Structures are given as C-alpha cells and as structure tokens.
Amino acid sequence: MKKNDSVTSSFVKEKVLREEIQRRKTFGIISHPDAGKTTLTEKFLLFGGAIQEAGAVKSNKIKKTAASDFMELERQRGISISTSVLSFEYKGNKINILDTPGHKDFAEDTFRTLTAVDSVIVVIDVAKGVEEQTERLVEVCRMRKIPILVFINKLDREGKYVFDLLDEIEQKLGLRITSLSWPIGMGNDFQGVYNLWEQSLLLFSGQKKQKIEKGLELKNLHEKILDKSIGSKSAELLRQELEIVREVYPEFHRGAYMKGDLQPVFFGSALNNFGIRELLDVFMEIAPGPSSKESEQRLIAPDEKSFSGFVFKIHANMDPRHRDRIAFVKIASGVFRRNTPYLHVRLGRKFKYASPSAFFADKKQIIQESFSGDIVGLHDTGNFKIGDTLTEGEALRFKGIPSFSPEHFRYINNADPMKTKQLEKGIHQLMEEGVAQLFSMDYNQRKIIGTVGALQYEVIQYRLENEYGARCTYETLPVYKACWVEVDDEKHPDFQEFKRVKQRFIAHDKENQMVFLADSVFSIQMMKEKYPLIKLRFTSEKITA
Ligand code: G4P
C-alpha cells in the first residue's frame, strides 16, 4: 500500500469511528414502580422492530407477582440478564437502553447503572406525581449532570392539574423544566397533545383511542382548524395554557439540556401508544451521544482511537456449580474487538475475550467489535469487580463508580464455624459483584452489611448457602445513613475528638475509607454543627453538586 493510501484509509477509519459513535444513544428509563417504564420500553422496541408484539419484556411483570418471594427473584436473575441492556436500531441510531431495576430488588445496581448512561428518561404517572424512587434516582442524575427528559404518562386517566404537577416536578426533583408538548384534556376528555417542538397537533381517535391522526402542522394557534379539530372551548383553553407556558417556562435550549441545566417535558400514554413515537423521534434528535469520561489520569473522549472501558455491573450465574459471571463493560472510547488482548488495569495483566456479547431485545449475540457508547458483556471467572478498567495498554482508572449510602444495616454472623473460610470467600465475591456493601466496625472489627433494599439480605443468605456452603445470621443495627468522612487535616484536635467521642459509630468500607454510621438525621446535623471541618457525604465519591 502506498503512503497516501494508508493516510486515506486511516482518515476513513476515523470518520467511520466518529459516525458510529455519534449515532449511539445509550440511556436509562427510570421511574417509580408502576409508572410505566416497562410499557414505554416495549413501545420503543416495537418501533425499532426489535420485538413483534407487546408483552415481550416480561421481567417486571413476573417480578411484581412474585415480589415477596426472593427465590423467584433469583430466577429472575436469568431473565434480567437479557433485559440489562436492550439494543436496537431506530432511524439510523443505535439505541442501547440500560435497565435500572426499580422494584423490590431496587439495589445499588440501579444507582451504578446511572454511571453508564449518557442520558435518562424519567417516567412519571400523571395521577401519582413524583414518587420516592424517582426522587432518589433523579438526585443522582442531577449530581452527575446527566441530561434528563421527563415523560408524563397515563394521560388517558384522570390525574393532577398539569401546572401543579409541573410545579411538583420542579420542587421535588429540583429540575428546571420546559414543556415540549402539552396535553389537550385528560382522562375521558383526553384529546391529544400539542407538540411545541414541531408545532403540530396530534389527536387521538378511534373508539379505543388508539389510533393517532396524522400530526397536523399548526404554526399559528389562532387558525380556525384548531377549533374545528378539538372544539372551540378546548381550543381556547389550549391557547390560554400555551400562553402561560411561554411566559412561565424557559425556551428549550439543547446545550442547556445536554449540560443537565434544563429538562424538557413530554406528555402521552405509553399503554395506548400515544405520543410515544413523537417522544422517541424528538429524543433521537436531542439526546446526547457518548460523552467524555473522566479518569483519574485525564479526560477520555469517546472518539479516541484507543479502546477503554469500565465494568459497571456484574451478573452472577444462577447455577451454583458454575461460578462464572457476566461483567458488563461500558465502552468509553474507541472500538472493542473480540479476541484482542486488553489490559486489566487493576490486575496489571492482559486478557483476551473469545465470546464478548451484545444484547438484542430477546437474544444475546457474540460480537466481533463494539463501539464507544455500547455495552459488552464479558464472560468472567472472577477477575472483575465493579469499577475495573480495561484499556489497550494505558494505565487509566475511571472515576465515578461510587457507593451510595445503604438504607439498611445489619451485622453478619457466622452460623457455621466450620465454614468460616467459605463464608469469607462468599461475602468477598458477592460484595465485588456489588450485591451489597461491606463495612468493618472500627471498635470491634465486626462486619456490617449495608443494602439499599431489605430483600437483599435474604438473597445474600440464600446465595451464601447455595453457592458457597456457608451459613449466616444477621443482627439489625439502628443506623440511618452511612456518611463518608472527609477532612483536610487529619491531625486536627477536633478530628481526633470526633474519632474518640464517636468511635462506636465509626467504620471503614472495603476501600478502607472512613465512614460515620449516623443513627438519625439529627445526629448528622449535630456533627455538622459541632465539627464544621469534617465533611460528611452520602456517597463514597466527591461529587460537585
Ligand atoms: P413499570 O415498569 O414502571 O413498573 O410499569 P409498567 O409498564 O409495568 O406499567 C404499570 C401498569 O400501568 C400496567 O398495568 C400498565 O399496563 C399500566 N400502564 C402503563 N402505561 C399506561 C398508560 O398510558 N395508561 C394507563 N391507563 N395505564 C398504563 P397493570 O395492570 O399492572 O399490568 P397489565 O395487566 O396492564 O399488564
């Protein structure tokens, strides 16, 4: 090959790489259980031709009926591997939807998945408004400046007065919103939505209100066709409401949305397939592709030629005889290739992967290559833990796979002294998988397991017994939150005093970071007032709020 040819070919390769990366939209859909996340995901998959009929994304449904039974939850692990990532093509985009489990198994996993998304869609039930899990997840997104789009669902049912609901979203979720669509009526009177982005009217029709009349372009709301289409009363109301919308909410600005400073809102009904295609189309236009990712060493751009990626989730095999696992890697830059040696930075060794997989709606597939923004599943026999970095050779370490304060805390005791080793190994591996967090109390060295959902304790007990032959019991601890302790001057007398006075509440996490186990909001407040030099964080990582 002549020199010029090779320059051209590398130019073409770079162009292809950039184009491939830009067309990737990797996002999570988050909501409180029952707001409609599964239904919305399913409709997206239908539009992408990834599934043929509704009902294919079953995992949530089964979870719901069997929520009280953790054995079922175990069974679900098999199914949830296939719903962990759902990839499909839509209008030239490669979409990767990452599952953020939101039911009883709501766990650290859910939070950590947010480190691998480039944006999120938040689903809110028009009648229920902002619910607890949504608040917690959105808080993490806000801290990380993840672009958020809000979808208000179930407009076919009676719900809250729209302006009140938008106020609630702003206040409870701390968002700065702007409406890109507006509902015409609600419940039985729901007629459709006005799409402010495209300035068009979408009307429901048909007996079951499932047919959508073609979008009617309506740049001037005073056109008589509006009155004809929805009736003069509704037309007048819509004009008035949109007038208020224009006055009260800021204009949509994509840059502000991408920076996490402005959140567009859409309305519709996932079940009736209303407003969903429009939502997906606008989302494809405005949603960000893969963004740069900070490592401890430098900022990594997605279109760098060299491959790098990080593990954000590990899924254990359900079969206790095979302790292999799947590690989910988000590609942060370049192209991941099958059978190519990559550096496992923490272990300082190179590994090749013979069967890396990608996840398509209902199947797993071995891939030859995958681009920045994508997720690959790597078969693992115990080499990975959450946060591990893979590269082509550079010793990078990605930031931002933090631990968040658990909600429940229990001492773990060995119930079978003959199996101490097995218990230790089991706890160690389950913690690496990210099932829960382990703390060690400073004053008595006892081990504490912290979880986000209480059901996790049963899962751990069951897995220890079935996979490691170890048995454990628990003792509940009256802890409200784990606060990571940060102090500039460790020798300061105030810090020494804090350690002495509070020694029964001080523990260390698995990275040996100091943690204050607060028993109430009040005690956190007291600590802050008494020892202003000590910073208390609810996550293991410093995040600029
Ligand atoms: P989730 O994943 O967020 O938990 O919610 P999911 O999609 O499972 O939806 C929860 C319930 O809300 C389901 O009803 C679903 O059919 C319903 N739903 C979703 N979108 C809409 C909507 O736009 N309008 C109305 N009226 N209902 C909606 P279910 O009775 O629990 O299940 P199913 O028997 O309908 O499957």
Side-chain angles (χ1 to χ4, degrees):
M1 196 161 48
K2 283 193 230 141
K3 194 174 167 215
N4 266 359
D5 287 350
S6 79
V7 171
T8 316
S9 117
S10 94
F11 174 76
V12 170
K13 269 192 199 149
E14 274 173 38
K15 190 164 172 273
V16 169
L17 176 66
R18 257 199 317 276
E19 282 170 5
E20 276 300 332
I21 292 171
Q22 273 160 14
R23 71 184 198 92
R24 273 155 169 81
K25 309 280 182 201
T26 302
F27 63 96
I29 302 180
I30 61 183
S31 73
H32 194 83
D34 276 347
K37 185 182 73 168
T38 313
T39 315
L40 184 66
T41 308
E42 221 160 58
K43 295 291 147 84
F44 283 175
L45 290 172
L46 280 168
F47 291 137
I51 53 170
Q52 303 314 318
E53 54 181 327
V57 187
K58 292 202 181 66
S59 69
N60 278 335
K61 292 283 167 291
I62 303 168
K63 269 177 205 161
K64 260 186 250 174
T65 51
S68 59
D69 185 356
F70 78 93
M71 297 278 282
E72 269 305 312
L73 206 131
E74 275 292 290
R75 195 138 61 82
Q76 282 311 307
R77 285 203 288 145
I79 295 171
S80 63
I81 286 183
S82 58
T83 58
S84 289
V85 190
L86 295 165
S87 300
F88 59 97
E89 297 274 334
Y90 181 72
K91 293 195 170 169
N93 296 288
K94 162 92 186 289
I95 297 181
N96 301 310
I97 304 182
L98 304 197
D99 190 23
T100 48
H103 291 83
K104 287 269 182 181
D105 57 344
F106 180 67
E108 291 240 334
D109 224 25
T110 311
F111 287 128
R112 268 192 309 255
T113 298
L114 296 178
T115 62
V117 299
D118 296 312
S119 70
V120 297
I121 295 181
V122 175
V123 183
I124 289 173
D125 182 325
V126 68
K128 295 198 179 130
V130 175
E131 296 173 272
E132 190 209 335
Q133 278 192 20
T134 314
E135 267 183 75
R136 291 163 63 193
L137 290 167
V138 168
E139 195 187 335
V140 176
C141 295
R142 255 193 315 122
M143 287 195 295
R144 309 192 78 84
K145 302 254 175 226
I146 297 175
I148 300 173
L149 181 149
V150 178
F151 175 66
I152 299 177
N153 190 27
K154 306 196 184 181
L155 263 290
D156 58 314
R157 288 210 184 142
E158 288 303 330
K160 299 191 175 190
Y161 176 56
V162 177
F163 284 108
D164 288 348
L165 180 57
L166 294 180
D167 276 356
E168 186 181 325
I169 292 172
E170 283 189 319
Q171 274 155 29
K172 283 198 179 162
L173 298 180
L175 300 181
R176 186 167 158 257
I177 57 175
T178 179
S179 210
L180 284 188
S181 83
W182 196 257
I184 304 165
M186 200 186 282
N188 283 336
D189 299 328
F190 182 44
Q191 300 199 57
V193 291
Y194 182 70
N195 184 332
L196 282 112
W197 173 257
E198 282 165 0
Q199 299 189 319
S200 65
L201 189 66
L202 282 174
L203 295 178
F204 244 172
S205 72
Q207 243 203 343
K208 286 174 94 183
K209 292 197 165 179
Q210 288 202 338
K211 244 175 74 206
I212 300 166
E213 277 188 4
K214 242 179 134 234
L216 176 70
E217 202 174 299
L218 203 68
K219 293 220 164 10
N220 179 357
L221 283 169
H222 292 282
E223 282 181 39
K224 276 277 163 279
I225 183 106
L226 180 65
D227 299 73
K228 256 198 194 156
S229 307
I230 60 175
S232 312
K233 230 168 117 190
S234 301
E236 203 37 51
L237 185 64
L238 178 67
R239 287 181 189 114
Q240 283 168 12
E241 288 181 337
L242 289 179
E243 194 58 41
I244 300 174
V245 169
R246 283 201 185 96
E247 274 168 27
V248 174
Y249 299 105
E251 216 177 297
F252 177 74
H253 187 274
R254 185 165 181 240
Y257 157 69
M258 302 261 273
K259 280 201 275 180
D261 290 340
L262 184 66
Q263 290 79 25
V265 178
F266 286 81
F267 295 86
S269 163
L271 185 66
N272 294 292
N273 213 351
F274 192 85
I276 308 304
R277 188 184 281 280
E278 294 66 32
L279 165 72
L280 186 58
D281 285 349
V282 177
F283 184 60
M284 286 300 108
E285 254 184 75
I286 64 171
S291 49
S292 295
K293 183 119 185 101
E294 253 188 82
S295 75
E296 281 169 19
Q297 291 70 24
R298 61 188 184 85
L299 193 68
I300 313 295
D303 52 2
E304 285 181 21
K305 269 197 287 186
S306 237
F307 158 75
S308 66
F310 61 94
V311 177
F312 67 95
K313 176 173 180 148
I314 293 176
H315 236 297
N317 194 323
M318 295 191 328
D319 184 346
R321 286 162 305 174
H322 299 281
R323 233 179 259 148
D324 52 346
R325 322 185 275 187
I326 293 185
F328 290 84
V329 175
K330 165 86 186 274
I331 305 180
S333 67
V335 187
F336 174 95
R337 294 195 171 84
R338 188 180 169 207
N339 278 327
T340 307
Y342 291 122
L343 176 68
H344 185 309
V345 176
R346 182 175 54 86
L347 300 182
R349 280 169 56 198
K350 288 206 169 179
F351 293 90
K352 279 190 209 175
Y353 300 92
S355 48
S357 10
F359 305 84
F360 296 96
D362 49 359
K363 56 186 183 298
K364 211 168 92 183
Q365 241 176 34
I366 291 187
I367 48 105
Q368 299 302 328
E369 57 178 24
S370 239
F371 292 85
S372 183
D374 281 339
I375 313 295
V376 276
L378 302 181
H379 185 254
D380 173 43
T381 47
N383 289 324
F384 282 123
K385 65 179 192 181
I386 303 283
D388 276 347
T389 305
L390 282 181
T391 69
E392 278 185 25
E394 196 177 348
L396 295 174
R397 228 178 287 269
F398 283 101
K399 282 185 174 176
I401 309 272
S403 297
F404 295 90
S405 174
E407 304 279 307
H408 306 267
F409 298 82
R410 292 184 192 173
Y411 275 128
I412 180 163
N413 302 318
N414 187 356
D416 183 353
M418 303 296 286
K419 299 280 169 65
T420 307
K421 272 216 169 99
Q422 286 86 334
L423 183 73
E424 276 175 10
K425 185 172 177 196
I427 294 178
H428 177 74
Q429 291 201 346
L430 293 184
M431 297 307 130
E432 279 194 355
E433 229 179 77
V435 172
Q437 287 181 59
L438 189 69
F439 301 96
S440 175
M441 205 62 161
D442 276 22
Y443 84 102
N444 62 9
Q445 302 306 313
R446 287 182 71 185
K447 301 260 180 291
I448 296 166
I449 292 201
T451 68
V452 178
L455 194 69
Q456 223 55 14
Y457 289 105
E458 289 173 66
V459 174
I460 293 169
Q461 208 166 33
Y462 174 81
R463 288 190 59 189
L464 284 173
E465 200 162 336
N466 281 272
E467 293 170 33
Y468 300 90
R471 286 193 296 119
C472 71
T473 56
Y474 299 113
E475 262 170 75
T476 304
L477 268 167
V479 173
Y480 160 71
K481 279 262 156 74
C483 311
W484 277 264
V485 177
E486 198 186 316
V487 65
D488 290 332
D489 177 10
E490 291 200 2
K491 296 211 173 76
H492 197 286
D494 282 3
F495 184 56
Q496 298 305 324
E497 182 190 300
F498 163 78
K499 284 202 294 189
R500 199 176 55 249
V501 176
K502 290 290 162 194
Q503 58 165 306
R504 288 183 160 264
F505 298 88
I506 293 176
H508 278 77
D509 70 4
K510 59 183 189 305
E511 311 297 340
N512 209 24
Q513 298 196 69
M514 186 189 276
V515 171
F516 171 59
L517 299 176
D519 56 7
S520 64
V521 189
F522 178 68
S523 74
I524 297 176
Q525 206 49 45
M526 289 280 291
M527 283 304 103
K528 284 185 175 163
E529 279 166 27
K530 195 155 177 218
Y531 304 107
L533 85 160
I534 300 173
K535 289 190 196 83
L536 299 175
R537 287 179 274 117
F538 292 138
T539 118
S540 65
E541 175 199 58
K542 281 182 219 167
I543 298 180
T544 36

